[in-house]
């Protein structure tokens, strides 16, 4: 039997599920309260003609062949390896911390072996790694923690490293070689014509229809018989019945600089200790676009506003679990994605979770 499916959210989660279900012959109606598809990964050309990411810089990277192959059906790719520098006391250093960071910061000339010994000497070994503070102190010790991590984390989350689960800081490795790439995944690419183009192609299927600027609440009754795939915040689905799940938000300050061919040496510069913003990203590095001017974005973290990040810490995870238990009981609703699963997912992890969810649904429907 073919199903009618209502998909709430046109980001990576919703679009991936829609494509798989449509290809299996199920009719998918996808709604989003925003005026565009792509969710937070959406991109568009700004007033000056530069391709920018309105919701902050999105760099695609994955180790999953399956995810990469799935998305490759809808886009060509541009090879791009992201590099980030962090400003500490007015100077720029590679982050993740590597041999170059140590040598430049402390005026040393360590070999790789010596860099290992150095970190061994300064790290503060922890028996159990519970918090992000444990992660950082255990790997690089106090001085590097204060210079590169404590201030950035306080700004980004409004919390101390010790108040966040280990997984947050564990996203950033420590290296003793000279590798200055932000990610080391097998596949690191940007969609050659942008994320918008990739999403348009993914959703271009006769069984997929799209309705923008439409909130779930408006259409819920219209689709009472349909299976729902919900990719918005899970607490909102249940009318915050257990209280609000905390999400961290950001304010993006976009700027175009006419007649400035290049603003900074790398895609992103982090400001762990200076300014109210955490980082500045210059889009032309990511996209490879040539233009006489350049466009940048500064990210100012804030508590209120659109939910961008789940906040990984034990009490939030406990509250999420209560919502997840309710979600389990909703047999005709599938909850998937960064907001619906309250997980600090990257894009590729969302696609992997969505592909799996779509397959599980198809298997279930096949048995009915
Ligand atoms: P979303 O993209 O949030 O999509 C959910 C959609 O649902 C939204 O469009 C929303 O409008 C819609 N919606 C919600 N509620 C309703 C409702 N009630 N009715 C109708 N529509 C609704 N990942 C990477 O891999 N690499 C990066 O470099 C990277 N950089 C990032 C930078 C920033 C600043 C942020 C915030 C995230 C970044 N990510 C990055 C993570 C990436 O954005 C997410 O993993 C991914 O976009 C999540 O997809 P999603 O479909 O789960 O959610
Ligand atoms: N982080 C930090 N200093 C840095 C970079 C990252 O303290 O220079 C910490 C901070 O807590 C941040 C987390 O590591 O929120 C994850 O960083 P990532 O760059 O992955 O964040 P995202 O791109 O998801 O915002």
């Amino acid at each position: 039997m073919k199903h009618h499916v209502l998909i709430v959210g046109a980001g990576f989660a919703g679009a991936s599920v829609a494509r798989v279900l449509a290809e299996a012959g199920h009719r998918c109606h996808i709604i989003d309260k925003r005026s565009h598809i792509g969710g937070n990964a959406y991109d568009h050309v700004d007033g000056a003609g530069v391709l920018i990411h309105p919701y902050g810089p999105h760099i695609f990277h994955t180790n999953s062949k399956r995810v990469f192959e799935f998305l490759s059906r809808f886009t060509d790719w541009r090879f791009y390896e992201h590099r980030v520098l962090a400003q500490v006391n007015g100077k720029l250093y590679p982050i993740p911390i590597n041999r170059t960071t140590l040598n430049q910061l402390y005026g040393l000339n360590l070999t790789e072996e010596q860099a290992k010994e150095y970190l061994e000497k300064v790290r503060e070994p922890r028996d159990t790694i519970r918090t992000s503070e444990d992660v950082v102190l255990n790997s690089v010790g106090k001085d590097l923690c204060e210079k590169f991590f404590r201030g950035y984390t306080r700004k980004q989350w409004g919390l101390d490293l010790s108040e966040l689960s280990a997984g947050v800081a564990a996203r950033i490795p420590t290296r003793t070689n000279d590798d200055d790439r932000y990610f080391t995944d097998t596949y690191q690419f940007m969609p050659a014509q942008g994320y918008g183009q990739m999403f348009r192609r993914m959703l271009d299927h006769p069984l997929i229809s799209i309705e923008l600027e439409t909130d779930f609440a408006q259409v819920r009754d219209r689709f009472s018989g349909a299976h729902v795939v919900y990719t918005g915040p899970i607490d909102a689905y249940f009318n915050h019945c257990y209280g609000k799940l905390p999400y961290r938000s950001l304010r993006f300050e976009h700027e175009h600089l006419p007649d400035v061919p290049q603003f900074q040496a790398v895609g992103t510069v982090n400001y762990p200790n200076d300014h109210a913003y955490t980082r500045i990203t210059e889009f032309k590095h990511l996209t490879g676009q040539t233009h006489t001017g350049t466009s940048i974005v500064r990210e100012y973290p804030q508590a209120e506003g659109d939910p961008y990040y789940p906040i990984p810490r034990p009490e939030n995870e406990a509250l999420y679990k209560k919502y997840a238990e309710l979600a389990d009981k909703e047999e005709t609703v599938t909850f998937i994605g960064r907001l619906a699963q309250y997980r600090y997912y990257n894009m590729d992890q969302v696609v992997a979770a969505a592909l799996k969810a779509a397959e599980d649904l198809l298997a279930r429907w096949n048995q009915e």
Side-chain angles (χ1 to χ4, degrees), residues 9-281:
F12 268 104
S16 305
V17 171
R19 184 73 197 197
V20 175
L21 296 185
E23 285 179 353
H26 303 284
R27 183 166 291 283
C28 296
H29 188 67
I30 182 159
I31 61 161
D32 203 299
K33 61 182 176 191
R34 290 173 171 166
S35 59
H36 58 76
I37 57 174
N40 287 337
Y42 170 69
D43 56 11
H44 75 129
V45 172
D46 68 9
V50 179
L51 183 65
I52 64 158
H53 302 174
Y55 305 102
H58 280 70
I59 298 112
F60 182 77
H61 56 101
T62 190
N63 285 318
S64 166
K65 186 162 186 262
R66 181 168 187 234
V67 167
F68 182 66
E69 285 179 349
F70 173 72
L71 294 177
S72 299
R73 294 174 50 203
F74 314 110
T75 187
D76 301 326
W77 299 101
R78 165 183 191 259
F79 179 69
Y80 172 70
E81 289 180 323
H82 195 48
R83 287 182 169 75
V84 180
L85 296 169
Q87 179 176 297
V88 173
N89 296 330
K91 294 212 174 99
L92 297 172
Y93 303 95
I95 179 90
I97 290 168
N98 67 6
R99 187 174 79 102
T100 316
T101 314
L102 299 177
N103 282 339
Q104 290 180 350
L105 185 66
Y106 298 119
L108 299 169
N109 195 11
L110 305 173
T111 62
E112 189 166 344
E113 204 45 49
Q114 289 168 328
K116 257 185 224 154
E117 286 163 20
Y118 181 88
L119 290 178
E120 206 43 59
K121 212 170 60 203
V122 297
R123 68 188 275 262
E124 297 178 12
R126 292 278 194 274
D127 289 336
T128 43
I129 306 282
R130 208 172 39 81
T131 70
S132 277
E133 182 179 54
D134 294 334
V135 170
V136 178
L137 292 178
N138 183 64
S139 48
V140 299
K142 189 160 189 309
D143 192 52
L144 291 163
C145 175
E146 300 306 316
K147 287 190 162 78
F148 289 91
F149 289 93
R150 186 145 349 244
Y152 188 106
T153 301
R154 162 68 59 192
K155 244 194 291 189
Q156 169 70 15
W157 303 96
L159 294 168
D160 187 67
L161 275 167
S162 60
E163 297 172 294
L164 285 159
S165 297
V168 176
R171 289 167 64 87
I172 314 299
T174 307
R175 305 193 182 121
T176 48
N177 59 17
D178 291 333
D179 191 347
D180 62 351
R181 295 170 304 162
Y182 207 60
F183 310 110
T184 51
D185 300 54
T186 315
Y187 308 97
Q188 305 190 43
F189 295 96
M190 296 292 289
Q193 288 85 32
Y195 289 97
Q197 160 92 302
M198 181 173 78
F199 274 93
R200 279 188 291 280
R201 288 192 186 160
M202 208 187 310
L203 295 175
D204 180 15
H205 187 284
L207 289 180
I208 298 178
S209 48
I210 306 171
E211 197 178 340
L212 297 174
E213 297 181 70
T214 305
D215 196 287
F216 182 42
Q218 290 165 249
V219 298
R220 205 171 185 155
D221 297 339
R222 215 171 89 204
F223 288 87
S224 55
H227 187 87
V228 174
V229 174
Y230 180 86
T231 75
I234 188 169
D235 57 335
Y237 179 91
F238 294 106
N239 297 319
H240 310 104
C241 65
Y242 295 131
K244 280 199 161 184
L245 256 179
Y247 292 90
R248 191 70 172 160
S249 192
L250 295 170
R251 179 171 65 82
F252 300 101
E253 189 181 275
H254 287 272
E255 190 180 356
H256 178 75
L257 307 164
D259 303 320
V260 177
Q262 190 181 93
F263 174 76
Q264 59 191 26
V266 291
T268 299
V269 174
N270 286 357
Y271 293 89
N273 310 306
D274 314 312
H275 308 296
Y277 49 85
T278 48
R279 56 187 179 189
I280 300 183
T281 296

